[in-house]
Amino acid sequence: MGSQGQADNFFEGAGFDWESYIVHRPAPTPEFYQLIYDHHRAHGGEFNLAHDIGTGPGNIAEQIGKTFKHVHASEPSAYHTSVAEHRLKAIDPHKYTTQQCRGEDISSEAAGHKEGSVDLITVAQCIPLMNVPQAISGFAHLLKPATGTLAIWFYGRPCFADPAQHKSQQIINAIISKAWDRVRPMKGTGFEPAKTMLCAFLDNVAFPPEQWQHVRRLKWNADKPMMFLENDDVDFEIRWESAVGEGEVEERYLDRGFWAVEADVAWMRGFVDYALPWENKDEEKRGFDGLFGELEQAMGGKGVRQRVTWPVALLLATRK
């Protein structure tokens, strides 16, 4: 989850409920992780050391630890790092280590990691807020030559799987747009290149061929927008950019059951609260009550659950 600058401030502070953050998020399935591991194994990868970049509360590192002998989790925020350390040490104090460090700086001398020592690097839900060329180069430095795997992924706006829920979709889109009012204006901030990347489904992340091979770009439900906002909701020009290189494999899947959540309106409200958390201001939350009331009615009433799915992009690449 971890990111930098303006975005970090949303999740700071001892009052932030990280367990609720995890509950109100789509969770990658075992099949998703297996897809990554199969790619890794197919190119000779070992399962000794994994490094989870931007680990947030360590929920991805926790899952990777079920397969890898050791997992190192890094995070730019000191507070997030302390949360991850607390959670992961409670699971297994020997399997997990943590470090406060920006993803772009993880290969620096100060970070203290040996070149070519890592089997797998995961970068979940944070690449759009990084200096991407610097980060990709640093990841190549850390991974084992010829066998090390990089896995980057991001999920976008929640989408109701049932086409009959079009009114619910309109309402949740309006709620998310209103939630983003807290960070406007976005032009000239780190959100501008981030949202440009999401519009491209991460296709503007480049893998220099002198460093990378076996590049795969997988997309699920790419007929739905990955950017959380409509184009008209941002104060800058949306550009579509592509850095897809020759020989890279592109795979598209339409799967309305992918990472599906059976969600009622309470879950949807939790998702919005923890996607852009409030500052414990009741008056700010009350400003959304009307919209969530409309959403509850559109979804079929209190406690009624509807299937919610996600547009997801996964980038896989092997160190050359």
Side-chain angles (χ1 to χ4, degrees):
M1 186 293 309
S3 55
Q4 304 161 36
Q6 189 176 4
D8 272 337
N9 297 331
F10 301 147
F11 305 97
E12 292 287 353
F16 186 73
D17 186 345
W18 280 104
E19 295 305 322
S20 290
Y21 169 93
I22 293 170
V23 168
H24 294 98
R25 277 289 181 277
T29 59
E31 292 79 10
F32 181 81
Y33 288 110
Q34 192 59 52
L35 191 156
I36 295 170
Y37 302 151
D38 287 347
H39 176 98
H40 183 60
R41 187 179 287 108
H43 300 293
E46 297 179 313
F47 290 80
N48 296 315
L49 174 61
H51 191 139
D52 185 39
I53 302 289
T55 199
N59 50 314
I60 300 298
E62 176 184 352
Q63 295 303 315
I64 296 167
K66 296 176 181 179
T67 302
F68 279 76
K69 292 179 181 178
H70 185 84
V71 180
H72 186 73
S74 65
E75 168 63 45
S77 161
Y79 174 63
H80 302 177
T81 304
S82 68
V83 171
E85 181 176 19
H86 176 76
R87 288 189 72 255
L88 294 173
K89 284 194 172 181
I91 296 167
D92 188 331
H94 305 293
K95 179 181 287 285
Y96 300 99
T97 51
T98 57
Q99 177 183 26
Q100 182 188 354
C101 186
R102 294 195 323 152
E104 299 94 325
D105 299 331
I106 201 65
S107 66
S108 67
E109 185 176 348
H113 299 288
K114 184 179 178 182
E115 180 179 1
S117 61
V118 179
D119 295 301
L120 172 70
I121 291 177
T122 53
V123 188
Q125 213 67 9
C126 58
I127 193 67
L129 287 169
M130 291 185 181
N131 178 322
V132 175
Q134 182 183 350
I136 295 294
S137 178
F139 301 155
H141 180 85
L142 287 185
L143 285 168
K144 289 180 179 177
T147 64
T149 299
L150 173 62
I152 299 171
W153 67 90
F154 204 96
Y155 63 82
R157 187 192 309 178
C159 301
F160 286 91
D162 183 354
Q165 286 293 310
H166 59 89
K167 185 175 181 181
S168 298
Q169 190 67 57
Q170 291 174 346
I171 298 169
I172 194 60
N173 290 352
I175 290 171
I176 291 171
S177 177
K178 181 177 174 63
W180 276 93
D181 284 346
R182 293 187 64 226
V183 297
R184 291 187 173 95
M186 289 181 276
K187 184 176 177 61
T189 72
F191 290 116
E192 185 171 352
K195 295 198 176 300
T196 298
M197 183 182 293
L198 297 186
C199 283
F201 262 75
L202 310 191
D203 274 351
N204 62 349
V205 175
F207 292 94
E210 64 273 15
Q211 292 180 317
W212 300 98
Q213 59 185 334
H214 309 308
V215 177
R216 296 169 64 192
R217 298 175 183 268
L218 298 88
K219 301 178 179 71
W220 289 266
N221 300 321
D223 60 321
K224 300 295 185 181
M226 177 165 282
M227 192 170 79
F228 277 68
L229 299 173
E230 302 289 349
N231 288 0
D232 293 341
D233 286 336
V234 298
D235 54 357
F236 53 86
E237 181 183 359
I238 296 292
R239 306 178 309 278
W240 185 85
E241 300 175 346
S242 176
V244 178
E246 184 178 355
E248 297 182 4
V249 176
E250 298 183 77
E251 305 172 36
R252 289 175 175 260
Y253 304 97
L254 185 65
D255 182 357
R256 296 298 194 245
F258 190 73
W259 290 12
V261 175
E262 302 298 328
D264 61 6
V265 73
W267 192 94
M268 298 300 291
R269 184 154 200 164
F271 175 83
V272 173
D273 281 350
Y274 291 96
L276 233 92
W278 318 124
E279 299 171 319
N280 296 319
K281 295 180 179 178
D282 288 341
E283 65 274 16
E284 190 173 25
K285 288 187 176 184
R286 284 196 296 270
F288 287 79
D289 286 348
L291 282 169
F292 277 111
E294 292 178 30
L295 180 62
E296 181 175 80
Q297 184 176 5
M299 291 176 65
K302 185 175 182 180
V304 175
R305 297 180 180 273
Q306 298 290 344
R307 173 164 288 193
V308 175
T309 187
W310 316 86
V312 177
L314 169 64
L315 310 179
L316 293 171
T318 303
R319 175 74 165 96
K320 187 170 273 188

PDB file of all heavy atoms in Angstrom, residues 48-62:
ATOM      1  N   ASN A  48      13.656 -18.560  -1.696  1.00  0.00           N
ATOM      2  CA  ASN A  48      14.376 -18.268  -0.454  1.00  0.00           C
ATOM      3  C   ASN A  48      14.037 -16.894   0.108  1.00  0.00           C
ATOM      4  O   ASN A  48      13.547 -16.783   1.227  1.00  0.00           O
ATOM      5  CB  ASN A  48      15.881 -18.393  -0.690  1.00  0.00           C
ATOM      6  CG  ASN A  48      16.296 -19.804  -1.037  1.00  0.00           C
ATOM      7  OD1 ASN A  48      15.860 -20.759  -0.399  1.00  0.00           O
ATOM      8  ND2 ASN A  48      17.116 -19.958  -2.073  1.00  0.00           N
ATOM      9  N   LEU A  49      14.279 -15.830  -0.663  1.00  0.00           N
ATOM     10  CA  LEU A  49      14.119 -14.470  -0.160  1.00  0.00           C
ATOM     11  C   LEU A  49      13.194 -13.661  -1.064  1.00  0.00           C
ATOM     12  O   LEU A  49      13.442 -13.531  -2.266  1.00  0.00           O
ATOM     13  CB  LEU A  49      15.475 -13.770  -0.062  1.00  0.00           C
ATOM     14  CG  LEU A  49      15.466 -12.285   0.320  1.00  0.00           C
ATOM     15  CD1 LEU A  49      14.840 -12.097   1.706  1.00  0.00           C
ATOM     16  CD2 LEU A  49      16.877 -11.708   0.285  1.00  0.00           C
ATOM     17  N   ALA A  50      12.137 -13.132  -0.472  1.00  0.00           N
ATOM     18  CA  ALA A  50      11.237 -12.207  -1.170  1.00  0.00           C
ATOM     19  C   ALA A  50      11.299 -10.857  -0.478  1.00  0.00           C
ATOM     20  O   ALA A  50      11.588 -10.766   0.721  1.00  0.00           O
ATOM     21  CB  ALA A  50       9.805 -12.733  -1.172  1.00  0.00           C
ATOM     22  N   HIS A  51      11.032  -9.813  -1.254  1.00  0.00           N
ATOM     23  CA  HIS A  51      11.034  -8.454  -0.706  1.00  0.00           C
ATOM     24  C   HIS A  51       9.741  -7.780  -1.135  1.00  0.00           C
ATOM     25  O   HIS A  51       9.460  -7.640  -2.328  1.00  0.00           O
ATOM     26  CB  HIS A  51      12.246  -7.669  -1.227  1.00  0.00           C
ATOM     27  CG  HIS A  51      12.466  -6.375  -0.517  1.00  0.00           C
ATOM     28  ND1 HIS A  51      13.714  -5.915  -0.164  1.00  0.00           N
ATOM     29  CD2 HIS A  51      11.597  -5.422  -0.085  1.00  0.00           C
ATOM     30  CE1 HIS A  51      13.594  -4.750   0.448  1.00  0.00           C
ATOM     31  NE2 HIS A  51      12.312  -4.440   0.503  1.00  0.00           N
ATOM     32  N   ASP A  52       8.937  -7.361  -0.157  1.00  0.00           N
ATOM     33  CA  ASP A  52       7.672  -6.671  -0.426  1.00  0.00           C
ATOM     34  C   ASP A  52       7.885  -5.170  -0.264  1.00  0.00           C
ATOM     35  O   ASP A  52       8.167  -4.690   0.833  1.00  0.00           O
ATOM     36  CB  ASP A  52       6.581  -7.170   0.521  1.00  0.00           C
ATOM     37  CG  ASP A  52       5.230  -6.560   0.200  1.00  0.00           C
ATOM     38  OD1 ASP A  52       4.923  -6.412  -0.991  1.00  0.00           O
ATOM     39  OD2 ASP A  52       4.478  -6.238   1.149  1.00  0.00           O
ATOM     40  N   ILE A  53       7.743  -4.448  -1.366  1.00  0.00           N
ATOM     41  CA  ILE A  53       7.963  -2.998  -1.394  1.00  0.00           C
ATOM     42  C   ILE A  53       6.654  -2.284  -1.068  1.00  0.00           C
ATOM     43  O   ILE A  53       5.592  -2.653  -1.559  1.00  0.00           O
ATOM     44  CB  ILE A  53       8.453  -2.552  -2.792  1.00  0.00           C
ATOM     45  CG1 ILE A  53       9.739  -3.281  -3.187  1.00  0.00           C
ATOM     46  CG2 ILE A  53       8.627  -1.043  -2.854  1.00  0.00           C
ATOM     47  CD1 ILE A  53      10.968  -2.870  -2.428  1.00  0.00           C
ATOM     48  N   GLY A  54       6.730  -1.223  -0.265  1.00  0.00           N
ATOM     49  CA  GLY A  54       5.523  -0.485   0.096  1.00  0.00           C
ATOM     50  C   GLY A  54       4.534  -1.362   0.828  1.00  0.00           C
ATOM     51  O   GLY A  54       3.357  -1.424   0.511  1.00  0.00           O
ATOM     52  N   THR A  55       5.010  -2.018   1.865  1.00  0.00           N
ATOM     53  CA  THR A  55       4.262  -3.110   2.494  1.00  0.00           C
ATOM     54  C   THR A  55       3.041  -2.672   3.268  1.00  0.00           C
ATOM     55  O   THR A  55       2.175  -3.484   3.564  1.00  0.00           O
ATOM     56  CB  THR A  55       5.205  -3.935   3.405  1.00  0.00           C
ATOM     57  OG1 THR A  55       4.626  -5.209   3.672  1.00  0.00           O
ATOM     58  CG2 THR A  55       5.504  -3.190   4.707  1.00  0.00           C
ATOM     59  N   GLY A  56       2.922  -1.375   3.617  1.00  0.00           N
ATOM     60  CA  GLY A  56       1.779  -0.939   4.417  1.00  0.00           C
ATOM     61  C   GLY A  56       1.741  -1.708   5.716  1.00  0.00           C
ATOM     62  O   GLY A  56       2.743  -1.786   6.438  1.00  0.00           O
ATOM     63  N   PRO A  57       0.618  -2.358   6.053  1.00  0.00           N
ATOM     64  CA  PRO A  57       0.549  -3.121   7.302  1.00  0.00           C
ATOM     65  C   PRO A  57       1.136  -4.520   7.184  1.00  0.00           C
ATOM     66  O   PRO A  57       1.023  -5.306   8.120  1.00  0.00           O
ATOM     67  CB  PRO A  57      -0.957  -3.182   7.571  1.00  0.00           C
ATOM     68  CG  PRO A  57      -1.565  -3.188   6.211  1.00  0.00           C
ATOM     69  CD  PRO A  57      -0.689  -2.294   5.373  1.00  0.00           C
ATOM     70  N   GLY A  58       1.717  -4.857   6.033  1.00  0.00           N
ATOM     71  CA  GLY A  58       2.369  -6.151   5.883  1.00  0.00           C
ATOM     72  C   GLY A  58       1.445  -7.272   5.441  1.00  0.00           C
ATOM     73  O   GLY A  58       1.822  -8.444   5.519  1.00  0.00           O
ATOM     74  N   ASN A  59       0.264  -6.949   4.935  1.00  0.00           N
ATOM     75  CA  ASN A  59      -0.687  -8.002   4.572  1.00  0.00           C
ATOM     76  C   ASN A  59      -0.231  -8.810   3.367  1.00  0.00           C
ATOM     77  O   ASN A  59      -0.463 -10.024   3.303  1.00  0.00           O
ATOM     78  CB  ASN A  59      -2.076  -7.412   4.335  1.00  0.00           C
ATOM     79  CG  ASN A  59      -2.081  -6.219   3.400  1.00  0.00           C
ATOM     80  OD1 ASN A  59      -1.263  -5.325   3.530  1.00  0.00           O
ATOM     81  ND2 ASN A  59      -3.015  -6.188   2.467  1.00  0.00           N
ATOM     82  N   ILE A  60       0.447  -8.169   2.401  1.00  0.00           N
ATOM     83  CA  ILE A  60       0.964  -8.929   1.254  1.00  0.00           C
ATOM     84  C   ILE A  60       2.178  -9.753   1.687  1.00  0.00           C
ATOM     85  O   ILE A  60       2.316 -10.925   1.330  1.00  0.00           O
ATOM     86  CB  ILE A  60       1.331  -7.990   0.098  1.00  0.00           C
ATOM     87  CG1 ILE A  60       0.099  -7.191  -0.357  1.00  0.00           C
ATOM     88  CG2 ILE A  60       1.933  -8.776  -1.069  1.00  0.00           C
ATOM     89  CD1 ILE A  60      -1.034  -8.032  -0.891  1.00  0.00           C
ATOM     90  N   ALA A  61       3.067  -9.147   2.466  1.00  0.00           N
ATOM     91  CA  ALA A  61       4.237  -9.875   2.968  1.00  0.00           C
ATOM     92  C   ALA A  61       3.810 -11.115   3.749  1.00  0.00           C
ATOM     93  O   ALA A  61       4.433 -12.181   3.649  1.00  0.00           O
ATOM     94  CB  ALA A  61       5.077  -8.957   3.852  1.00  0.00           C
ATOM     95  N   GLU A  62       2.735 -10.976   4.512  1.00  0.00           N
ATOM     96  CA  GLU A  62       2.218 -12.113   5.282  1.00  0.00           C
ATOM     97  C   GLU A  62       1.859 -13.279   4.364  1.00  0.00           C
ATOM     98  O   GLU A  62       2.209 -14.436   4.644  1.00  0.00           O
ATOM     99  CB  GLU A  62       0.985 -11.669   6.066  1.00  0.00           C
ATOM    100  CG  GLU A  62       0.304 -12.772   6.831  1.00  0.00           C
ATOM    101  CD  GLU A  62      -0.963 -12.300   7.517  1.00  0.00           C
ATOM    102  OE1 GLU A  62      -1.235 -11.077   7.522  1.00  0.00           O
ATOM    103  OE2 GLU A  62      -1.695 -13.174   8.042  1.00  0.00           O
TER     104      GLU A  62
END
